[in-house]
């Protein structure tokens, strides 16, 4: 039980990669606060996690609003009494060529990605300081590679990585570690894309050295367990590429 009695906040925690992370951390004994807009999936996952012997909480909150970050922090402290791990996974964006990417598209990506990450890190700072906790933020290989049609998403993800590295240095003396996961995983959205564009999907798989997508729980979730636990106690400010070798950083 690498995370026994730890308390983790996971945004976008009811589905896709977020749900995989929720299950992986719960399997290691962590109590989970799921932040999501999907009440049905959130309620189902709370029951599932409680079934494996941990406590779980679902909060339906719009993470793009700073006041909601404060409300999330207060609700988690009220139920669990502390915060050990903050995982900023949620992010909404729209794809378009750069000259067709509207200000509203940029605003959506930055509000749900960069600003949501910033707001929750600020709101949970004192609690993470008290527990010498861990923050896990999310980057993207599409941003590092500069993939076409990803302008708003890539800009927000690289802003998150830049912020994470700065805060990792500033918070290190207080024992708070801040790291980044850059994943490729099989989610419902990817499955839909595979059905609609099978040739493009196969081309993407061919570019992955390990020739498959990651599993949200077994691959991405286990990486989150590693970064949340004492196994990574000497790591901060790092980007962990959990992408089958798609992007290699040197």
């Amino acid at each position: 039980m690498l995370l026994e009695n730890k308390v983790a906040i996971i945004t976008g925690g009811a589905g896709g990669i977020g749900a995989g992370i929720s299950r992986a951390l719960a399997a290691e004994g962590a109590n989970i606060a799921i932040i999501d807009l999907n009440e049905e999936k959130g309620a189902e996952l709370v029951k599932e996690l409680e079934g494996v012997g941990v406590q779980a909480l679902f909060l339906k909150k719009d993470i793009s609003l700073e006041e909601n970050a404060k409300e999330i922090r207060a609700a988690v402290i009220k139920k669990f009494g502390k915060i050990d791990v903050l995982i900023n996974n949620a992010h909404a964006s729209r794809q378009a060529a750069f000259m067709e990417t509207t200000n509203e598209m940029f605003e959506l990506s930055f509000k749900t990605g960069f600003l949501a990450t910033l707001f929750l890190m600020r709101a949970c700072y004192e609690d993470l300081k008290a527990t010498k906790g861990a923050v896990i933020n999310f980057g993207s290989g599409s941003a590092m590679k500069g993939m076409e049609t990803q302008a708003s998403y890539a800009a927000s993800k690289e802003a998150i990585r830049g912020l994470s590295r700065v805060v990792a240095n500033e918070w290190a003396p207080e024992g708070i570690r801040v790291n980044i996961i850059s994943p490729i995983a099989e989610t419902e959205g990817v499955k839909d894309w595979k059905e609609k564009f099978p040739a493009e999907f196969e081309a993407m798989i061919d570019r992955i050295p390990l020739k498959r997508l990651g599993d949200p729980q077994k691959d991405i979730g286990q990486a989150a367990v590693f970064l949340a636990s004492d196994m990574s106690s000497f790591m901060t400010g790092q980007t962990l590429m959990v992408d089958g070798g798609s992007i290699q950083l040197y």
Side-chain angles (χ1 to χ4, degrees):
M1 286 295 193
L2 293 170
L3 301 172
E4 189 170 10
N5 297 321
K6 299 286 188 181
V7 175
I9 295 174
I10 305 172
T11 68
I17 288 175
I21 293 172
S22 296
R23 293 183 176 104
L25 268 64
E28 293 294 342
N31 300 312
I32 308 295
I34 300 165
I35 319 302
D36 208 292
L37 295 177
N38 192 317
E39 290 184 88
E40 182 178 354
K41 284 188 175 181
E44 290 175 357
L45 189 54
V46 164
K47 290 182 180 179
E48 178 185 335
L49 300 183
E50 289 176 341
V52 301
V54 302
Q55 298 181 64
L57 170 69
F58 173 75
L59 296 171
K60 182 180 179 180
K61 293 288 183 181
D62 179 352
I63 58 172
S64 69
L65 303 175
E66 186 168 15
E67 58 266 31
N68 284 353
K70 297 174 182 178
E71 292 177 6
I72 290 167
R73 179 262 168 194
V76 173
I77 291 297
K78 182 178 180 180
K79 180 171 179 64
F80 299 113
K82 64 172 183 170
I83 299 168
D84 297 283
V85 184
L86 170 62
I87 301 179
N88 291 299
N89 161 71
H91 198 145
S93 68
R94 301 288 181 267
Q95 294 184 2
F98 171 64
M99 292 303 293
E100 297 170 2
T101 303
T102 65
N103 290 347
E104 289 75 20
M105 290 178 181
F106 276 105
E107 185 176 10
L108 172 66
S109 190
F110 271 81
K111 277 188 171 182
T112 61
F114 176 75
L115 287 177
T117 296
L118 182 156
F119 294 153
L120 275 166
M121 288 173 70
R122 279 181 179 165
C124 298
Y125 165 67
E126 292 292 344
D127 306 292
L128 292 165
K129 181 179 176 181
T131 59
K132 297 188 183 299
V135 178
I136 302 172
N137 295 329
F138 275 73
S140 171
S142 64
M144 297 176 214
K145 191 175 181 179
M147 288 180 63
E148 297 88 343
T149 76
Q150 301 288 329
S152 64
Y153 181 70
S156 180
K157 284 300 188 185
E158 286 297 88
I160 290 170
R161 285 214 310 143
L163 176 70
S164 300
R165 291 194 299 271
V166 170
V167 178
N169 287 327
E170 292 186 1
W171 289 3
E174 292 158 350
I176 305 171
R177 296 179 296 105
V178 182
N179 289 293
I180 304 129
I181 290 176
S182 179
I184 290 179
E186 187 166 3
T187 63
E188 291 303 317
V190 171
K191 290 177 183 177
D192 290 341
W193 184 58
K194 177 182 179 180
E195 291 180 2
K196 293 177 182 177
F197 305 101
E200 289 83 351
F201 177 83
E202 291 303 325
M204 179 191 71
I205 294 295
D206 191 56
R207 291 193 295 269
I208 300 174
L210 290 180
K211 303 302 180 187
R212 68 175 179 89
L213 296 174
D215 180 272
Q217 180 176 349
K218 295 178 182 178
D219 296 314
I220 317 305
Q222 290 303 316
V225 167
F226 170 69
L227 291 178
S229 74
D230 289 340
M231 288 193 299
S232 60
S233 62
F234 199 50
M235 285 180 63
T236 196
Q238 303 301 310
T239 297
L240 192 62
M241 307 302 296
V242 191
D243 62 358
S246 298
I247 305 291
Q248 299 181 29
L249 302 181
Y250 298 98

